[in-house]
Amino acid sequence: MKKMLSLVLLLCLVLTIMPGITAAAEEPIMDKAQALLDAGDYEAAVPLLEEAAGQGDALAQNELGKCYTNGKGVAEDNEKAVKYYRLAAGQGFAKSQFNLANCYLFGVGVGKDPEEGMAWLTLAAKQSLPQAQNLMGCNYENGIGTEPDLEKAAEYYRLAAEQGDANAQNDLGNCYYYGRGVEQDYEKAVHYYQLAAEQGQPNALNNLGTAYCDGKGVEQDYDKAMECYQLAAGQGDPDAIYNIGYMYYFGESVEEDCDKALEYFREAAVLGQPCAIFLIGESYYEGKGAEKDPMKAAKWYQMALDAGYEPDEEDQLHLIEVLGENYGG
């Protein structure tokens, strides 16, 4: 009798333990999907994401939306991406609110509606998502989906910058450098440029180079300026590439070399940098780094204007002389 009782107790113990072992061995669907995403196996991840998304998992819905946005593991389909972003955004998932905001701001997968985009962006920013706060700043600065408000722009840049967002640190640096929404303060501008530059942000590296070149907020140092420009140019920053060309063109920190300058101007021009395009025109007009050719000069000057080059008074007089009645400035 005692033996049978012991056997029954042992059996009960085994039956009690085994379900727990089985449950612990079952890896959650989203964990499996995330591991596949991390490994770059999107095709295998998508079915698991769909299963988890169908169960209301907001992270899965957001990741599935990203797959459709980028055409990874599925055919690119921006309308389906919006569907999944909306599902997750409706649950208060900040990253999906940000992604859905971008869809409305740029008209991707849905009709362009900047006001609706700002509404979703505001929700994400309220959850302290730094990229949402930074984009709020950009939109307030440029009047996208809202009235322009430089002070609010600076406030949002600061919120994101304090979380270490490199883009926001650079943008806040610009606010201080140019006095947009805050009192102009070159030293504070350099502080934020340096924070962003330490993270390798190319615009900040270029802006820090300009601060060193102009001696604003730091002691003027052309060598450090060139170093910053080169780091930014290595990441394909068109302004930095132009600035290196400028330094060669005018012999700042380096020996004047108009041929090398023109190479940099051409590289930046391909990326749409209007000042570089203008100085290619000047190179042809002056015969510096290129054979003198007024016709080619006129062509490049016009291209610079079309690309958004804003001539100062001296440049305007020069353009009137070269382009004549064709100049509409």
Side-chain angles (χ1 to χ4, degrees):
M1 182 69 180
K2 285 183 179 179
K3 283 186 178 180
M4 183 169 290
L5 183 60
S6 298
L7 185 60
V8 170
L9 288 171
L10 182 60
L11 185 60
C12 289
L13 185 62
V14 171
L15 290 173
T16 302
I17 294 172
M18 287 303 291
I21 294 173
T22 304
E26 289 181 1
E27 188 179 4
I29 297 170
M30 191 55 212
D31 287 354
K32 292 180 184 177
Q34 190 63 61
L36 291 167
L37 290 172
D38 292 342
D41 191 349
Y42 294 95
E43 288 188 9
V46 165
L48 295 176
L49 290 174
E50 289 175 337
E51 184 177 351
Q55 295 173 8
D57 188 306
L59 175 58
Q61 291 165 344
N62 184 65
E63 292 298 326
L64 194 53
K66 286 164 60 180
C67 286
Y68 277 110
T69 293
N70 299 308
K72 291 186 174 180
V74 290
E76 184 178 321
D77 189 327
N78 289 315
E79 291 183 5
K80 280 190 178 179
V82 168
K83 169 191 168 183
Y84 285 108
Y85 291 148
R86 194 185 303 280
L87 287 171
Q91 295 189 66
F93 194 73
K95 289 183 178 179
S96 284
Q97 291 170 339
F98 174 73
N99 290 334
L100 185 58
N102 275 288
C103 290
Y104 277 110
L105 288 168
F106 298 101
V108 178
V110 68
K112 189 173 182 178
D113 188 338
E115 289 78 14
E116 182 72 9
M118 275 294 282
W120 285 108
L121 198 59
T122 301
L123 293 175
K126 283 181 178 178
Q127 296 192 62
S128 299
L129 189 70
Q131 55 265 49
Q133 293 169 332
N134 185 58
L135 187 52
M136 286 284 286
C138 291
N139 287 350
Y140 272 115
E141 182 174 355
N142 298 293
I144 298 173
T146 184
E147 289 296 315
D149 190 326
L150 296 180
E151 289 185 5
K152 279 190 178 180
E155 288 173 15
Y156 276 106
Y157 289 146
R158 191 183 309 281
L159 289 171
E162 288 173 352
Q163 295 191 67
D165 186 277
N167 292 327
Q169 289 166 343
N170 176 66
D171 291 333
L172 185 57
N174 284 334
C175 289
Y176 279 111
Y177 201 85
Y178 298 104
R180 297 174 185 159
V182 293
E183 186 176 346
Q184 191 172 48
D185 188 324
Y186 293 124
E187 290 185 2
K188 282 187 178 180
V190 166
H191 168 71
Y192 285 107
Y193 288 153
Q194 286 176 328
L195 288 176
E198 286 169 6
Q199 298 187 62
Q201 215 280 356
N203 301 128
L205 284 163
N206 176 68
N207 291 334
L208 187 58
T210 298
Y212 275 116
C213 194
D214 295 342
K216 292 181 176 178
V218 288
E219 187 176 344
Q220 190 173 52
D221 189 325
Y222 287 129
D223 290 335
K224 284 187 177 179
M226 178 63 88
E227 182 182 343
C228 290
Y229 289 149
Q230 287 175 333
L231 288 169
Q235 297 185 58
D237 186 270
D239 293 333
I241 296 167
Y242 159 74
N243 284 328
I244 294 173
Y246 185 94
M247 294 184 84
Y248 276 112
Y249 196 76
F250 292 102
E252 293 180 353
S253 172
V254 291
E255 186 177 345
E256 184 178 311
D257 188 333
C258 292
D259 290 339
K260 187 171 282 190
L262 190 57
E263 289 177 15
Y264 281 104
F265 292 154
R266 289 190 185 281
E267 185 179 348
V270 170
L271 298 172
Q273 217 290 341
C275 296
I277 299 171
F278 182 84
L279 282 184
I280 292 174
E282 184 170 299
S283 297
Y284 279 114
Y285 188 81
E286 300 289 345
K288 295 176 67 175
E291 187 177 342
K292 195 166 186 176
D293 190 327
M295 294 293 290
K296 282 186 178 179
K299 170 192 167 186
W300 283 97
Y301 284 148
Q302 187 59 57
M303 287 171 61
L305 294 170
D306 294 342
Y309 181 75
E310 297 179 359
D312 58 20
E313 187 175 344
E314 184 179 346
D315 285 342
Q316 286 185 25
L317 292 173
H318 177 60
L319 289 170
I320 291 170
E321 178 187 350
V322 176
L323 298 177
E325 62 182 19
N326 293 321
Y327 175 56

